[in-house]
């Protein structure tokens, strides 16, 4: 499904602040995998997501998606088959538009816009059925501006919106980090539900070690631009938070912290 082959990425090249993050970094994600990615700040997690989504160029290497080389493909063109939910609840939806209007925009992704009405009334019941699956009453607030929703409600809607289009790959960029514990648990449960229902290939960066252990079919730990842990199957099922904390502590000691 997705291959990163020999990726090289240097920041501030030629300056005193030069930092080479990725040095011939490679990663292969199979179709249908739900991959959780953890790691300390600066380990390369978010940079990897930006490279995959096309919002950050690479110095060299190649990005292969579904057998096609997309290395030079622009971000908006990759968005035709990639969905992304960001850390901030303020991103991914339009705050001044209603839930209904946001869903209508998502429904028209990759379609030609004409002079017809922005909201297709024939689709309203369909939109309502989608948000009803969240179980938080959004179906009764279809005409409410999204900006008035709570962070958890907005992230739940962002998940629905991201999955409305016919995408093949879902990117979750610490999408529960800005939420309170109850809301983050709700959004994570919804995430798992949507991913399993659509069987969509998913890459999730998270700082929540419990979520990384409990959800997904594969777990990566990154450090200084490398994958130092890559587990799946029974090995992942047998992993626990203490194992990951132990690994983090080993890294910290090696770095003299």
């Amino acid at each position: 499904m997705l291959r990163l082959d020999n990726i090289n990425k240097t920041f501030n090249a030629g300056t005193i602040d030069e930092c080479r993050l990725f040095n011939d970094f490679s990663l292969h994600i199979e179709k249908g995998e739900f991959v959780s990615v953890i790691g300390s700040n600066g380990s390369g997690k978010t940079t990897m997501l930006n490279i995959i989504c096309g919002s950050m160029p690479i110095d060299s290497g190649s990005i292969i998606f579904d057998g096609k080389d997309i290395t030079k493909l622009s971000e908006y063109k990759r968005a035709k088959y990639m969905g992304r939910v960001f850390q901030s609840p303020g991103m991914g939806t339009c705050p001044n538009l209603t839930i209904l209007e946001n869903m209508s925009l998502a429904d028209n992704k990759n379609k030609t816009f004409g002079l017809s009405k922005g909201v297709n009334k024939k689709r309203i019941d369909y939109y309502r059925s989608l948000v009803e699956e969240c179980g938080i009453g959004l179906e009764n607030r279809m005409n409410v501006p999204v900006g008035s929703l709570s962070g958890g409600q907005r992230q739940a809607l962002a998940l629905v919106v991201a999955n409305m289009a016919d995408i093949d790959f879902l990117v979750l960029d610490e999408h529960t980090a800005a939420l309170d514990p109850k809301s983050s648990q709700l959004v994570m449960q919804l995430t798992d539900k949507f991913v399993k229902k659509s069987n969509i290939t998913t890459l999730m960066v998270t700082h929540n070690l419990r979520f990384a252990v409990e959800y997904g079919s594969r777990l990566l730990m990154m450090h200084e631009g490398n994958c130092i842990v890559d587990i799946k199957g029974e090995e992942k099922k047998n992993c626990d938070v203490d194992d990951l904390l132990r690994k983090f502590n080993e890294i910290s000691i090696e770095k003299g912290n």
Side-chain angles (χ1 to χ4, degrees):
M1 168 59 76
L2 176 71
R3 288 204 336 261
L4 303 180
D5 291 335
N6 304 117
I7 301 297
N8 290 285
K9 180 63 182 178
T10 299
F11 293 95
N12 305 310
T15 73
I16 193 173
D17 296 318
E18 180 173 310
C19 172
R20 188 166 191 176
L21 178 59
F22 290 130
N23 184 14
D24 287 333
F25 174 77
S26 295
L27 176 68
H28 184 195
I29 297 175
E30 299 284 354
K31 185 177 179 63
E33 281 191 317
F34 181 173
V35 184
S36 299
V37 183
I38 58 175
S40 56
N41 293 333
S43 61
K45 306 184 303 298
T46 299
T47 298
M48 179 176 67
L49 296 191
N50 289 333
I51 286 172
I52 290 171
C53 292
S55 54
M56 181 178 290
I58 57 176
D59 301 330
S60 62
S62 59
I63 305 167
I64 310 297
F65 185 84
D66 202 19
K68 300 177 182 178
D69 191 331
I70 64 169
T71 308
K72 297 182 179 180
L73 202 65
S74 62
E75 182 177 11
Y76 83 90
K77 288 184 177 179
R78 296 188 200 188
K80 291 181 179 180
Y81 40 82
M82 290 185 183
R84 186 172 185 175
V85 181
F86 295 87
Q87 176 178 337
S88 171
M91 300 179 71
T93 52
C94 300
N96 296 324
L97 299 182
T98 65
I99 292 177
L100 180 60
E101 290 166 339
N102 270 273
M103 297 186 74
S104 182
L105 280 175
D107 199 18
N108 283 289
K109 182 179 178 180
N110 300 333
K111 298 177 182 177
T112 301
F113 282 86
L115 297 177
S116 58
K117 292 183 178 180
V119 176
N120 185 346
K121 293 184 178 180
K122 295 180 181 179
R123 301 281 283 173
I124 292 178
D125 288 340
Y126 169 64
Y127 299 154
R128 186 175 284 113
S129 70
L130 291 181
V131 294
E132 189 174 12
E133 291 187 43
C134 296
I136 52 178
L138 293 180
E139 67 276 9
N140 300 317
R141 307 186 67 185
M142 299 298 287
N143 293 312
V144 171
V146 169
S148 66
L149 301 178
S150 69
Q153 290 171 327
R154 289 190 71 169
Q155 287 298 66
L157 179 62
L159 277 171
V160 174
V161 165
N163 282 280
M164 283 182 67
D166 187 22
I167 58 173
D168 301 306
F169 196 82
L170 178 62
V171 173
L172 305 172
D173 188 359
E174 298 186 45
H175 69 310
T176 65
L179 306 178
D180 63 76
K182 182 178 179 180
S183 295
S184 63
Q185 182 66 55
L186 169 66
V187 169
M188 197 60 240
Q189 290 171 345
L190 289 173
T191 299
D192 191 52
K193 178 180 178 180
F194 289 145
V195 169
K196 288 179 177 177
K197 180 180 178 180
S198 59
N199 194 33
I200 188 170
T201 309
T202 303
L203 184 64
M204 177 182 74
V205 166
T206 180
H207 279 297
N208 190 310
L209 299 185
R210 182 171 64 84
F211 288 168
V213 168
E214 293 181 4
Y215 297 96
S217 58
R218 182 179 174 188
L219 187 151
L220 306 178
M221 180 185 289
M222 297 191 67
H223 178 60
E224 295 184 340
N226 295 295
C227 282
I228 59 172
V229 172
D230 185 353
I231 57 176
K232 63 177 76 173
E234 288 300 316
E235 188 176 5
K236 183 181 183 301
K237 289 180 182 179
N238 294 328
C239 179
D240 59 31
V241 172
D242 288 339
D243 293 332
L244 300 181
L245 282 174
R246 219 168 3 252
K247 191 64 178 178
F248 269 117
N249 288 334
E250 289 176 8
I251 294 171
S252 182
I253 291 173
E254 287 175 7
K255 299 300 291 183
N257 297 325

